[in-house]
Amino acid sequence: MSSLADEVTTIAFESLAVDAHASFIVNASASEDTLEHAFTEHLRLSGIYWGVCALATMGNLRKTMDADKREEILSYVASCRCESGAYSGGAGHDGHVLYTLSAVQIYALFDAMDRIDRDSVVNYVKGLQLADGSFQGDEWGEVDTRFTYCALSTLRLLDRLHEVDVEAACAYINKCKNFDGGFGATPGGESHAGQVFTCVGALAIGNRLDYVDGDLLGWWLAERQVKVGGLNGRPEKLPDVCYSWWVLSALSILGKTHWIDRGALARFILRCQDETSGGISDRPDDEPDVYHTFFGIAGLSLMGHPAVVEPIDPVFALPNSVLKQLGIEPWSAR
Ligand SMILES: CN(C(=O)[C@H](Cc1cnc[nH]1)NC(=O)OCc1ccccc1)[C@@H](Cc1ccccc1)C(=O)N[C@@H](Cc1ccc(O)cc1)C(=O)NO
Ligand SMILES: [Zn+2]
């Protein structure tokens, strides 16, 4: 059994093009004229979080973001704040718990938590919890375990977790557990690696990982690795770089990342990077985007790849150094 150091050093030969990825991210946020920019306006705040967190995890947020750029981003985030206390994905759109989390994550990354009106955010998130412990995503009522994760993560980052019924939230997540050890969006929903991350992450925040059958779920997660080394989201699906995060972060929370071939996964991620114009795509030879660039870098960080200087926390998807600033103990330190 090779040690992580051996595995990780063997992958060092395909280095991570850190500077190319940094300029790709900065340029992506600048190109306001592309169609993609228009199509993704409703999740702009998530896009900013992916870009800023990728730069922070590569250790060059300070180098690439001067004070003016930082101020420009923080005032854009402020422009997405709604009367309800929620944040919207883009200026003028409706508030939603997904983007409320992205906003809080961006403020945390810039060490600007004092700009948040905590009471109004807490009030909004509290109002989303239903009697059965589940959370709606917004006032229109869609229920999904993703929203439980966003709610608990947001409240924990604001140090206000006690304001909701955490036990009921975790009991509801347990109702979404399937016979294969995985989790779905709602009770009876099929297991999907993204939902597994949100459910395991929420149970970790709620300190109820005892609901998880670690060996059964660890096996289901390890089964996501296909022969080219990448990870897929469900059985029989194609591998995709972003599942390097959804699957690996759940395995990391369970302390089972060695259940997959980390060297093979790292090589798959590095094959998906465009070393000249920068960026990482979902699979080799596809068009890179900021979302896959972030989740590829986050996956490499979880594996301790030498080119990714900042360790990222598998529960909050923020660098450990950011959690320490907030007085939250990173998962790896437990
Ligand atoms: C909304 N969304 C997705 O559905 C992506 C689409 C995708 C990327 N690669 C393969 N498919 N899928 C995704 O995030 O799946 C992971 C996931 C699924 C369910 C729950 C939690 C995570 C992506 C955006 C995207 C759309 C299309 C192409 C690339 C990125 C997205 O915003 N994901 C969110 C999580 C999420 C996931 C699903 C949602 O319906 C809404 C939000 C995120 O990562 N926030 O930090
Ligand atoms: Zn993907």
Side-chain angles (χ1 to χ4, degrees):
M1 152 87 159
S2 68
S3 76
L4 177 58
D6 308 346
E7 278 180 57
V8 156
T9 38
T10 55
I11 61 186
F13 73 91
E14 277 187 77
S15 66
L16 184 69
V18 172
D19 292 338
H21 298 325
S23 55
F24 173 80
I25 287 164
V26 172
N27 297 337
S29 63
S31 61
E32 308 217 333
D33 55 345
T34 63
L35 267 183
E36 192 219 347
H37 197 81
F39 288 161
T40 55
E41 190 190 74
H42 68 287
L43 47 78
R44 177 81 58 247
L45 232 46
S46 292
I48 294 171
Y49 155 68
W50 300 324
V52 171
C53 200
L55 293 172
T57 308
M58 290 191 289
N60 47 18
L61 180 58
R62 305 241 169 294
K63 200 165 55 178
T64 42
M65 287 280 163
D66 60 20
D68 293 349
K69 184 75 183 162
R70 176 179 182 275
E71 201 45 52
E72 182 191 325
I73 290 173
L74 291 177
S75 55
Y76 179 76
V77 176
S79 76
C80 294
R81 190 168 168 281
C82 306
E83 271 305 295
S84 63
Y87 285 82
S88 65
H93 288 264
D94 296 336
H96 197 282
V97 75
L98 287 168
Y99 308 113
T100 302
L101 172 58
S102 295
V104 173
Q105 290 172 314
I106 295 165
Y107 281 122
L109 282 158
F110 281 123
D111 193 15
M113 295 298 275
D114 52 329
R115 300 200 186 194
I116 301 175
D117 175 350
R118 288 183 191 235
D119 291 347
S120 72
V121 173
V122 169
N123 203 38
Y124 171 73
V125 175
K126 268 173 80 167
L128 296 175
Q129 187 166 33
L130 300 178
D132 66 359
S134 66
F135 280 85
Q136 308 165 84
D138 58 18
E139 56 276 17
W140 302 107
E142 185 196 359
V143 167
D144 183 312
T145 46
R146 278 174 294 143
F147 308 147
T148 301
Y149 169 78
C150 292
L152 297 188
S153 188
T154 299
L155 292 174
R156 182 67 190 89
L157 291 171
L158 296 175
D159 196 18
R160 301 282 287 273
L161 188 58
H162 54 277
E163 303 260 2
V164 292
D165 188 339
V166 176
E167 279 307 317
C170 293
Y172 176 80
I173 287 202
N174 190 46
K175 284 201 296 201
C176 300
K177 188 169 64 186
N178 294 318
F179 63 91
D180 55 14
F183 293 85
T186 53
E190 74 159 323
S191 294
H192 174 291
Q195 306 292 154
V196 167
F197 162 76
T198 49
C199 293
V200 171
L203 291 175
I205 295 170
N207 209 12
R208 289 307 309 264
L209 281 173
D210 53 296
Y211 278 130
V212 176
D213 180 335
D215 287 342
L216 186 57
L217 179 53
W219 176 256
W220 187 85
L221 288 166
E223 283 288 284
R224 297 299 113 254
Q225 187 159 40
V226 296
K227 66 183 184 318
V228 292
L231 307 177
N232 63 22
R234 281 178 288 168
E236 311 309 319
K237 292 284 181 181
L238 285 174
D240 174 335
V241 158
C242 69
Y243 288 104
S244 311
W245 170 263
W246 306 115
V247 172
L248 203 59
S249 53
L251 279 172
S252 177
I253 292 167
L254 299 176
K256 292 178 162 66
T257 57
H258 57 290
W259 283 27
I260 62 149
D261 179 343
R262 288 170 293 197
L265 173 59
R267 281 191 295 278
F268 176 80
I269 297 172
L270 294 173
R271 278 201 302 277
C272 295
Q273 66 176 340
D274 180 329
E275 287 163 280
T276 41
S277 41
I280 300 175
S281 59
D282 58 349
R283 51 184 70 96
D285 305 328
D286 273 1
E287 195 65 25
D289 60 48
V290 176
Y291 169 92
H292 288 99
T293 301
F294 167 59
F295 286 110
I297 289 163
L300 290 171
S301 174
L302 283 177
M303 290 189 277
H305 188 282
V308 185
V309 290
E310 283 288 333
I312 196 165
D313 183 74
V315 175
F316 293 98
L318 288 168
N320 288 3
S321 55
V322 170
L323 291 188
K324 282 182 195 130
Q325 267 167 7
L326 300 176
I328 298 174
E329 199 180 30
W331 195 254
S332 58
R334 286 174 195 245

